[in-house]
Amino acid sequence: GCGPRWTTRLWSIENWANLARKLIASGCQVVLLGGEQEDERNKQIALESGATYFGYFSLPQFINLIDQMTLVVTQVTMGMHLTLGLQKKIVLMNTIFNPHEFDLFGNGEIVGPTKACKCFYRGSCVDGESCMATITPSAIYEAVNRWV
């Protein structure tokens, strides 16, 4: 998810489901995480992919779930901050923020769009299509495989 402020960071349900299927097929256990705003999306992704979704929880329980993960795939979200704070491996999808603002502390990599993003720090895309659409499930899958 991305919340209502930064919708340019929203990756499609189809992309999340495709990524989950690829990871599951390669032997990974995929667990979907998120808050109340992501609940319906996560239910749909789980249905389409076979990923595990336990629902949404309080912040302490959310932190505990992240701490049990080997690697977290996320956009620039609270989940990213918690993942980094817990020193977990991370594959970070980034479009609208300057990638040089992030230090993953040697625990992962940033995957950006294949086209130049002009929507820095914006909640809507100036071109009509979010740069997130150019980040493919295959690109994220390859990044995950480099870190697990």
Side-chain angles (χ1 to χ4, degrees):
C2 64
R5 170 66 178 99
W6 304 108
T7 57
T8 49
R9 296 180 307 161
L10 194 60
W11 211 35
S12 72
I13 289 172
E14 178 183 353
N15 281 344
W16 280 115
N18 285 341
L19 174 61
R21 284 191 296 271
K22 284 177 171 282
L23 291 168
I24 291 166
S26 71
C28 294
Q29 181 180 2
V30 176
V31 178
L32 303 172
L33 302 172
E36 186 174 3
Q37 290 179 330
E38 290 82 35
D39 187 55
E40 288 304 315
R41 288 176 55 82
N42 282 344
K43 287 176 182 173
Q44 188 64 39
I45 295 164
L47 183 66
E48 292 182 20
S49 69
T52 300
Y53 178 55
F54 298 115
Y56 60 92
F57 301 95
S58 68
L59 182 58
Q61 289 172 306
F62 183 66
I63 293 169
N64 182 275
L65 281 169
I66 289 175
D67 199 29
Q68 295 179 57
M69 301 299 122
T70 301
L71 180 144
V72 174
V73 176
T74 187
Q75 305 99 314
V76 180
T77 64
M78 180 178 64
M80 174 203 74
H81 296 286
L82 295 171
T83 300
L84 292 173
L86 292 166
Q87 301 177 354
K88 305 305 261 182
K89 294 177 184 176
I90 186 170
V91 172
L92 178 65
M93 290 184 269
N94 179 52
T95 55
I96 64 172
F97 299 114
N98 182 339
H100 302 290
E101 291 180 4
F102 303 107
D103 186 345
L104 305 183
F105 306 100
N107 287 325
E109 70 181 88
I110 298 171
V111 178
T114 58
K115 71 174 192 172
C117 183
K118 298 182 255 176
C119 306
F120 291 112
Y121 305 99
R122 293 180 55 99
S124 60
C125 185
V126 297
D127 286 336
E129 179 187 35
S130 173
C131 296
M132 284 296 291
T134 70
I135 299 175
T136 65
S138 292
I140 301 301
Y141 176 80
E142 291 166 10
V144 167
N145 281 329
R146 286 191 285 274
W147 289 95
V148 291

